[in-house]
Amino acid sequence: RRVLFRSVLLQWVVDDLLRRRADAQLLFASPGIRNLDVFGRTFGLKSVETLPSTEPTVAQNFLIVRVISSRQGEFSVSSIEPGGKEALVGEFAINKTIATKKERLVHISTTLGRGAPSIVYANGAAEAEDLAIQLTELLANRETTPRRDAVAQLVAQSVHPSYVLAAAVRRGVGFHYSNMPTPVRQAVEDAFADGTIDFLVCTSTLLQGVNLPARNVFMCKPEKGKQRPLEGTDFWNLAGRAGRL
């Protein structure tokens, strides 16, 4: 529905602009578009010039984390170089158990992502809340801020004073999935966008047109639906949330 709304709104704005200024010069930019002549037909433009570019719209590093010792919390980070070769970035020892998927997502994301807006991918609403609770407990020493308190109060008033999201937001953590009240979900999106929260646990809802660019995206055995591995297109769509211009 969001994609349809944006398309209709875009066409209405362009049509209105051309009614006001028929000589206006329009620039349409979009990745992976092959039939650019559709803009000319849609808006009645007589002259359409194509200007292809190889400049990437996402500047990102694809990193692989490998656990060396789950008991000692030792892991390595390698980058994927052109041609598929791996280059060791560094090795870490955090002295915390990282045997389970939950432990890995929580401890590795806080170790590597602290101080930068980070998205942690969860395979469902229950897992998203669980991961957010674990992140909140791990970051319990963080001080709240007036902006975080304001978002937490909105959450408490909209859902329930004991709703776990309220406590999480005060520590800079949030979660996001489709079955949330719209005002709460919007407040979480805005809080992440303006830096009020810097850890956001998301489900596949993020693939449905929600624009939440981040510095980091952390995934471990990502799935969409029940025990269905994330497909390649969805994987890169999700990964593309990191490093956007």
PDB file of all heavy atoms in Angstrom, residues 70-99:
ATOM      1  N   SER A  70      32.871 -20.144  21.262  1.00  0.00           N
ATOM      2  CA  SER A  70      31.578 -19.666  21.751  1.00  0.00           C
ATOM      3  C   SER A  70      31.601 -19.425  23.255  1.00  0.00           C
ATOM      4  O   SER A  70      30.886 -18.553  23.758  1.00  0.00           O
ATOM      5  CB  SER A  70      30.480 -20.670  21.390  1.00  0.00           C
ATOM      6  OG  SER A  70      30.761 -21.951  21.936  1.00  0.00           O
ATOM      7  N   ARG A  71      32.397 -20.176  23.989  1.00  0.00           N
ATOM      8  CA  ARG A  71      32.457 -19.999  25.446  1.00  0.00           C
ATOM      9  C   ARG A  71      33.201 -18.732  25.845  1.00  0.00           C
ATOM     10  O   ARG A  71      32.789 -18.023  26.763  1.00  0.00           O
ATOM     11  CB  ARG A  71      33.131 -21.212  26.090  1.00  0.00           C
ATOM     12  CG  ARG A  71      32.275 -22.472  26.079  1.00  0.00           C
ATOM     13  CD  ARG A  71      32.938 -23.560  26.903  1.00  0.00           C
ATOM     14  NE  ARG A  71      32.094 -24.761  26.992  1.00  0.00           N
ATOM     15  CZ  ARG A  71      32.405 -25.824  27.691  1.00  0.00           C
ATOM     16  NH1 ARG A  71      33.554 -25.867  28.387  1.00  0.00           N
ATOM     17  NH2 ARG A  71      31.584 -26.873  27.719  1.00  0.00           N
ATOM     18  N   GLN A  72      34.286 -18.452  25.160  1.00  0.00           N
ATOM     19  CA  GLN A  72      35.088 -17.282  25.486  1.00  0.00           C
ATOM     20  C   GLN A  72      34.614 -16.023  24.754  1.00  0.00           C
ATOM     21  O   GLN A  72      35.126 -14.935  24.997  1.00  0.00           O
ATOM     22  CB  GLN A  72      36.567 -17.545  25.142  1.00  0.00           C
ATOM     23  CG  GLN A  72      37.181 -18.719  25.871  1.00  0.00           C
ATOM     24  CD  GLN A  72      37.185 -18.517  27.370  1.00  0.00           C
ATOM     25  OE1 GLN A  72      37.403 -17.405  27.860  1.00  0.00           O
ATOM     26  NE2 GLN A  72      36.947 -19.585  28.120  1.00  0.00           N
ATOM     27  N   GLY A  73      33.676 -16.172  23.849  1.00  0.00           N
ATOM     28  CA  GLY A  73      33.202 -15.017  23.095  1.00  0.00           C
ATOM     29  C   GLY A  73      34.216 -14.507  22.103  1.00  0.00           C
ATOM     30  O   GLY A  73      34.326 -13.295  21.875  1.00  0.00           O
ATOM     31  N   GLU A  74      34.936 -15.426  21.488  1.00  0.00           N
ATOM     32  CA  GLU A  74      35.951 -15.028  20.510  1.00  0.00           C
ATOM     33  C   GLU A  74      35.395 -15.206  19.099  1.00  0.00           C
ATOM     34  O   GLU A  74      34.813 -16.245  18.778  1.00  0.00           O
ATOM     35  CB  GLU A  74      37.214 -15.868  20.683  1.00  0.00           C
ATOM     36  CG  GLU A  74      37.880 -15.680  22.039  1.00  0.00           C
ATOM     37  CD  GLU A  74      39.091 -16.597  22.208  1.00  0.00           C
ATOM     38  OE1 GLU A  74      39.386 -17.376  21.278  1.00  0.00           O
ATOM     39  OE2 GLU A  74      39.732 -16.524  23.265  1.00  0.00           O
ATOM     40  N   PHE A  75      35.580 -14.180  18.270  1.00  0.00           N
ATOM     41  CA  PHE A  75      35.104 -14.276  16.893  1.00  0.00           C
ATOM     42  C   PHE A  75      35.991 -13.427  15.972  1.00  0.00           C
ATOM     43  O   PHE A  75      36.696 -12.519  16.431  1.00  0.00           O
ATOM     44  CB  PHE A  75      33.645 -13.835  16.777  1.00  0.00           C
ATOM     45  CG  PHE A  75      33.380 -12.406  17.203  1.00  0.00           C
ATOM     46  CD1 PHE A  75      33.421 -11.372  16.265  1.00  0.00           C
ATOM     47  CD2 PHE A  75      33.065 -12.096  18.515  1.00  0.00           C
ATOM     48  CE1 PHE A  75      33.168 -10.060  16.649  1.00  0.00           C
ATOM     49  CE2 PHE A  75      32.810 -10.787  18.902  1.00  0.00           C
ATOM     50  CZ  PHE A  75      32.860  -9.763  17.965  1.00  0.00           C
ATOM     51  N   SER A  76      35.940 -13.765  14.707  1.00  0.00           N
ATOM     52  CA  SER A  76      36.702 -13.014  13.709  1.00  0.00           C
ATOM     53  C   SER A  76      35.738 -12.314  12.763  1.00  0.00           C
ATOM     54  O   SER A  76      34.592 -12.734  12.590  1.00  0.00           O
ATOM     55  CB  SER A  76      37.626 -13.945  12.920  1.00  0.00           C
ATOM     56  OG  SER A  76      36.865 -14.846  12.127  1.00  0.00           O
ATOM     57  N   VAL A  77      36.216 -11.248  12.151  1.00  0.00           N
ATOM     58  CA  VAL A  77      35.438 -10.499  11.165  1.00  0.00           C
ATOM     59  C   VAL A  77      36.260 -10.400   9.894  1.00  0.00           C
ATOM     60  O   VAL A  77      37.420  -9.970   9.928  1.00  0.00           O
ATOM     61  CB  VAL A  77      35.085  -9.089  11.679  1.00  0.00           C
ATOM     62  CG1 VAL A  77      34.310  -8.308  10.611  1.00  0.00           C
ATOM     63  CG2 VAL A  77      34.281  -9.168  12.964  1.00  0.00           C
ATOM     64  N   SER A  78      35.664 -10.824   8.772  1.00  0.00           N
ATOM     65  CA  SER A  78      36.333 -10.765   7.473  1.00  0.00           C
ATOM     66  C   SER A  78      35.455 -10.017   6.489  1.00  0.00           C
ATOM     67  O   SER A  78      34.229 -10.086   6.544  1.00  0.00           O
ATOM     68  CB  SER A  78      36.610 -12.179   6.942  1.00  0.00           C
ATOM     69  OG  SER A  78      37.452 -12.898   7.821  1.00  0.00           O
ATOM     70  N   SER A  79      36.102  -9.306   5.586  1.00  0.00           N
ATOM     71  CA  SER A  79      35.369  -8.599   4.541  1.00  0.00           C
ATOM     72  C   SER A  79      35.460  -9.395   3.245  1.00  0.00           C
ATOM     73  O   SER A  79      36.418 -10.130   3.012  1.00  0.00           O
ATOM     74  CB  SER A  79      35.949  -7.198   4.324  1.00  0.00           C
ATOM     75  OG  SER A  79      37.289  -7.280   3.841  1.00  0.00           O
ATOM     76  N   ILE A  80      34.422  -9.255   2.423  1.00  0.00           N
ATOM     77  CA  ILE A  80      34.416  -9.901   1.113  1.00  0.00           C
ATOM     78  C   ILE A  80      34.967  -8.920   0.099  1.00  0.00           C
ATOM     79  O   ILE A  80      34.399  -7.846  -0.131  1.00  0.00           O
ATOM     80  CB  ILE A  80      32.993 -10.344   0.723  1.00  0.00           C
ATOM     81  CG1 ILE A  80      32.437 -11.292   1.784  1.00  0.00           C
ATOM     82  CG2 ILE A  80      32.987 -11.011  -0.636  1.00  0.00           C
ATOM     83  CD1 ILE A  80      33.224 -12.561   1.952  1.00  0.00           C
ATOM     84  N   GLU A  81      36.061  -9.276  -0.520  1.00  0.00           N
ATOM     85  CA  GLU A  81      36.717  -8.424  -1.493  1.00  0.00           C
ATOM     86  C   GLU A  81      36.191  -8.729  -2.901  1.00  0.00           C
ATOM     87  O   GLU A  81      35.525  -9.738  -3.118  1.00  0.00           O
ATOM     88  CB  GLU A  81      38.242  -8.640  -1.429  1.00  0.00           C
ATOM     89  CG  GLU A  81      38.845  -8.393  -0.061  1.00  0.00           C
ATOM     90  CD  GLU A  81      38.700  -6.955   0.381  1.00  0.00           C
ATOM     91  OE1 GLU A  81      38.915  -6.055  -0.452  1.00  0.00           O
ATOM     92  OE2 GLU A  81      38.337  -6.734   1.557  1.00  0.00           O
ATOM     93  N   PRO A  82      36.477  -7.846  -3.873  1.00  0.00           N
ATOM     94  CA  PRO A  82      36.086  -8.131  -5.261  1.00  0.00           C
ATOM     95  C   PRO A  82      36.610  -9.489  -5.709  1.00  0.00           C
ATOM     96  O   PRO A  82      37.758  -9.841  -5.460  1.00  0.00           O
ATOM     97  CB  PRO A  82      36.760  -6.994  -6.044  1.00  0.00           C
ATOM     98  CG  PRO A  82      36.830  -5.859  -5.059  1.00  0.00           C
ATOM     99  CD  PRO A  82      37.109  -6.522  -3.741  1.00  0.00           C
ATOM    100  N   GLY A  83      35.754 -10.249  -6.353  1.00  0.00           N
ATOM    101  CA  GLY A  83      36.128 -11.595  -6.764  1.00  0.00           C
ATOM    102  C   GLY A  83      35.758 -12.649  -5.754  1.00  0.00           C
ATOM    103  O   GLY A  83      35.972 -13.842  -5.984  1.00  0.00           O
ATOM    104  N   GLY A  84      35.213 -12.240  -4.614  1.00  0.00           N
ATOM    105  CA  GLY A  84      34.764 -13.192  -3.614  1.00  0.00           C
ATOM    106  C   GLY A  84      35.798 -13.590  -2.588  1.00  0.00           C
ATOM    107  O   GLY A  84      35.522 -14.418  -1.718  1.00  0.00           O
ATOM    108  N   LYS A  85      36.999 -13.036  -2.654  1.00  0.00           N
ATOM    109  CA  LYS A  85      38.031 -13.378  -1.685  1.00  0.00           C
ATOM    110  C   LYS A  85      37.753 -12.707  -0.348  1.00  0.00           C
ATOM    111  O   LYS A  85      37.178 -11.626  -0.279  1.00  0.00           O
ATOM    112  CB  LYS A  85      39.409 -12.949  -2.203  1.00  0.00           C
ATOM    113  CG  LYS A  85      39.867 -13.716  -3.446  1.00  0.00           C
ATOM    114  CD  LYS A  85      41.268 -13.290  -3.848  1.00  0.00           C
ATOM    115  CE  LYS A  85      41.747 -14.070  -5.067  1.00  0.00           C
ATOM    116  NZ  LYS A  85      43.118 -13.658  -5.470  1.00  0.00           N
ATOM    117  N   GLU A  86      38.173 -13.369   0.725  1.00  0.00           N
ATOM    118  CA  GLU A  86      37.985 -12.831   2.066  1.00  0.00           C
ATOM    119  C   GLU A  86      39.276 -12.199   2.577  1.00  0.00           C
ATOM    120  O   GLU A  86      40.370 -12.683   2.297  1.00  0.00           O
ATOM    121  CB  GLU A  86      37.539 -13.926   3.038  1.00  0.00           C
ATOM    122  CG  GLU A  86      36.140 -14.458   2.764  1.00  0.00           C
ATOM    123  CD  GLU A  86      35.661 -15.393   3.861  1.00  0.00           C
ATOM    124  OE1 GLU A  86      36.149 -15.245   5.005  1.00  0.00           O
ATOM    125  OE2 GLU A  86      34.833 -16.271   3.580  1.00  0.00           O
ATOM    126  N   ALA A  87      39.116 -11.120   3.322  1.00  0.00           N
ATOM    127  CA  ALA A  87      40.256 -10.453   3.946  1.00  0.00           C
ATOM    128  C   ALA A  87      39.937 -10.259   5.429  1.00  0.00           C
ATOM    129  O   ALA A  87      38.892  -9.681   5.766  1.00  0.00           O
ATOM    130  CB  ALA A  87      40.536  -9.109   3.281  1.00  0.00           C
ATOM    131  N   LEU A  88      40.802 -10.740   6.282  1.00  0.00           N
ATOM    132  CA  LEU A  88      40.576 -10.636   7.722  1.00  0.00           C
ATOM    133  C   LEU A  88      40.619  -9.170   8.163  1.00  0.00           C
ATOM    134  O   LEU A  88      41.576  -8.449   7.878  1.00  0.00           O
ATOM    135  CB  LEU A  88      41.632 -11.435   8.479  1.00  0.00           C
ATOM    136  CG  LEU A  88      41.497 -11.435  10.008  1.00  0.00           C
ATOM    137  CD1 LEU A  88      40.216 -12.147  10.433  1.00  0.00           C
ATOM    138  CD2 LEU A  88      42.723 -12.103  10.650  1.00  0.00           C
ATOM    139  N   VAL A  89      39.567  -8.755   8.848  1.00  0.00           N
ATOM    140  CA  VAL A  89      39.506  -7.392   9.370  1.00  0.00           C
ATOM    141  C   VAL A  89      40.057  -7.342  10.793  1.00  0.00           C
ATOM    142  O   VAL A  89      40.801  -6.441  11.162  1.00  0.00           O
ATOM    143  CB  VAL A  89      38.050  -6.871   9.353  1.00  0.00           C
ATOM    144  CG1 VAL A  89      37.962  -5.502  10.029  1.00  0.00           C
ATOM    145  CG2 VAL A  89      37.549  -6.784   7.918  1.00  0.00           C
ATOM    146  N   GLY A  90      39.676  -8.333  11.595  1.00  0.00           N
ATOM    147  CA  GLY A  90      40.170  -8.360  12.956  1.00  0.00           C
ATOM    148  C   GLY A  90      39.571  -9.505  13.740  1.00  0.00           C
ATOM    149  O   GLY A  90      38.637 -10.180  13.281  1.00  0.00           O
ATOM    150  N   GLU A  91      40.106  -9.747  14.927  1.00  0.00           N
ATOM    151  CA  GLU A  91      39.583 -10.768  15.831  1.00  0.00           C
ATOM    152  C   GLU A  91      39.232 -10.116  17.160  1.00  0.00           C
ATOM    153  O   GLU A  91      39.908  -9.179  17.604  1.00  0.00           O
ATOM    154  CB  GLU A  91      40.614 -11.880  16.033  1.00  0.00           C
ATOM    155  CG  GLU A  91      40.908 -12.671  14.752  1.00  0.00           C
ATOM    156  CD  GLU A  91      41.879 -13.820  14.981  1.00  0.00           C
ATOM    157  OE1 GLU A  91      42.514 -13.843  16.062  1.00  0.00           O
ATOM    158  OE2 GLU A  91      42.004 -14.666  14.080  1.00  0.00           O
ATOM    159  N   PHE A  92      38.173 -10.617  17.793  1.00  0.00           N
ATOM    160  CA  PHE A  92      37.652 -10.004  19.010  1.00  0.00           C
ATOM    161  C   PHE A  92      37.445 -11.069  20.076  1.00  0.00           C
ATOM    162  O   PHE A  92      37.132 -12.217  19.770  1.00  0.00           O
ATOM    163  CB  PHE A  92      36.319  -9.306  18.726  1.00  0.00           C
ATOM    164  CG  PHE A  92      36.407  -8.205  17.705  1.00  0.00           C
ATOM    165  CD1 PHE A  92      36.404  -8.495  16.345  1.00  0.00           C
ATOM    166  CD2 PHE A  92      36.500  -6.879  18.092  1.00  0.00           C
ATOM    167  CE1 PHE A  92      36.484  -7.496  15.397  1.00  0.00           C
ATOM    168  CE2 PHE A  92      36.577  -5.867  17.154  1.00  0.00           C
ATOM    169  CZ  PHE A  92      36.571  -6.173  15.803  1.00  0.00           C
ATOM    170  N   ALA A  93      37.609 -10.671  21.319  1.00  0.00           N
ATOM    171  CA  ALA A  93      37.333 -11.533  22.467  1.00  0.00           C
ATOM    172  C   ALA A  93      36.540 -10.706  23.470  1.00  0.00           C
ATOM    173  O   ALA A  93      37.058  -9.738  24.033  1.00  0.00           O
ATOM    174  CB  ALA A  93      38.623 -12.045  23.090  1.00  0.00           C
ATOM    175  N   ILE A  94      35.275 -11.059  23.684  1.00  0.00           N
ATOM    176  CA  ILE A  94      34.408 -10.248  24.540  1.00  0.00           C
ATOM    177  C   ILE A  94      34.090 -10.921  25.872  1.00  0.00           C
ATOM    178  O   ILE A  94      33.377 -10.355  26.700  1.00  0.00           O
ATOM    179  CB  ILE A  94      33.093  -9.906  23.804  1.00  0.00           C
ATOM    180  CG1 ILE A  94      32.357 -11.183  23.376  1.00  0.00           C
ATOM    181  CG2 ILE A  94      33.368  -9.034  22.591  1.00  0.00           C
ATOM    182  CD1 ILE A  94      31.011 -10.916  22.715  1.00  0.00           C
ATOM    183  N   ASN A  95      34.622 -12.141  26.072  1.00  0.00           N
ATOM    184  CA  ASN A  95      34.435 -12.864  27.340  1.00  0.00           C
ATOM    185  C   ASN A  95      32.967 -13.046  27.708  1.00  0.00           C
ATOM    186  O   ASN A  95      32.596 -12.967  28.885  1.00  0.00           O
ATOM    187  CB  ASN A  95      35.186 -12.139  28.474  1.00  0.00           C
ATOM    188  CG  ASN A  95      36.687 -12.129  28.252  1.00  0.00           C
ATOM    189  OD1 ASN A  95      37.263 -13.122  27.822  1.00  0.00           O
ATOM    190  ND2 ASN A  95      37.319 -10.991  28.510  1.00  0.00           N
ATOM    191  N   LYS A  96      32.145 -13.273  26.717  1.00  0.00           N
ATOM    192  CA  LYS A  96      30.730 -13.562  26.925  1.00  0.00           C
ATOM    193  C   LYS A  96      30.335 -14.711  26.012  1.00  0.00           C
ATOM    194  O   LYS A  96      30.820 -14.809  24.880  1.00  0.00           O
ATOM    195  CB  LYS A  96      29.866 -12.326  26.631  1.00  0.00           C
ATOM    196  CG  LYS A  96      30.132 -11.164  27.576  1.00  0.00           C
ATOM    197  CD  LYS A  96      29.315  -9.951  27.194  1.00  0.00           C
ATOM    198  CE  LYS A  96      29.619  -8.786  28.128  1.00  0.00           C
ATOM    199  NZ  LYS A  96      28.877  -7.552  27.732  1.00  0.00           N
ATOM    200  N   THR A  97      29.471 -15.564  26.500  1.00  0.00           N
ATOM    201  CA  THR A  97      29.065 -16.730  25.722  1.00  0.00           C
ATOM    202  C   THR A  97      28.282 -16.307  24.485  1.00  0.00           C
ATOM    203  O   THR A  97      27.355 -15.503  24.572  1.00  0.00           O
ATOM    204  CB  THR A  97      28.195 -17.670  26.563  1.00  0.00           C
ATOM    205  OG1 THR A  97      28.926 -18.048  27.737  1.00  0.00           O
ATOM    206  CG2 THR A  97      27.841 -18.925  25.776  1.00  0.00           C
ATOM    207  N   ILE A  98      28.677 -16.849  23.332  1.00  0.00           N
ATOM    208  CA  ILE A  98      27.973 -16.567  22.081  1.00  0.00           C
ATOM    209  C   ILE A  98      27.662 -17.896  21.380  1.00  0.00           C
ATOM    210  O   ILE A  98      27.940 -18.079  20.198  1.00  0.00           O
ATOM    211  CB  ILE A  98      28.781 -15.628  21.160  1.00  0.00           C
ATOM    212  CG1 ILE A  98      30.221 -16.126  20.986  1.00  0.00           C
ATOM    213  CG2 ILE A  98      28.789 -14.212  21.707  1.00  0.00           C
ATOM    214  CD1 ILE A  98      31.034 -15.317  19.982  1.00  0.00           C
ATOM    215  N   ALA A  99      27.073 -18.819  22.152  1.00  0.00           N
ATOM    216  CA  ALA A  99      26.781 -20.150  21.625  1.00  0.00           C
ATOM    217  C   ALA A  99      25.487 -20.184  20.823  1.00  0.00           C
ATOM    218  O   ALA A  99      25.362 -20.934  19.854  1.00  0.00           O
ATOM    219  CB  ALA A  99      26.724 -21.163  22.760  1.00  0.00           C
TER     220      ALA A  99
END
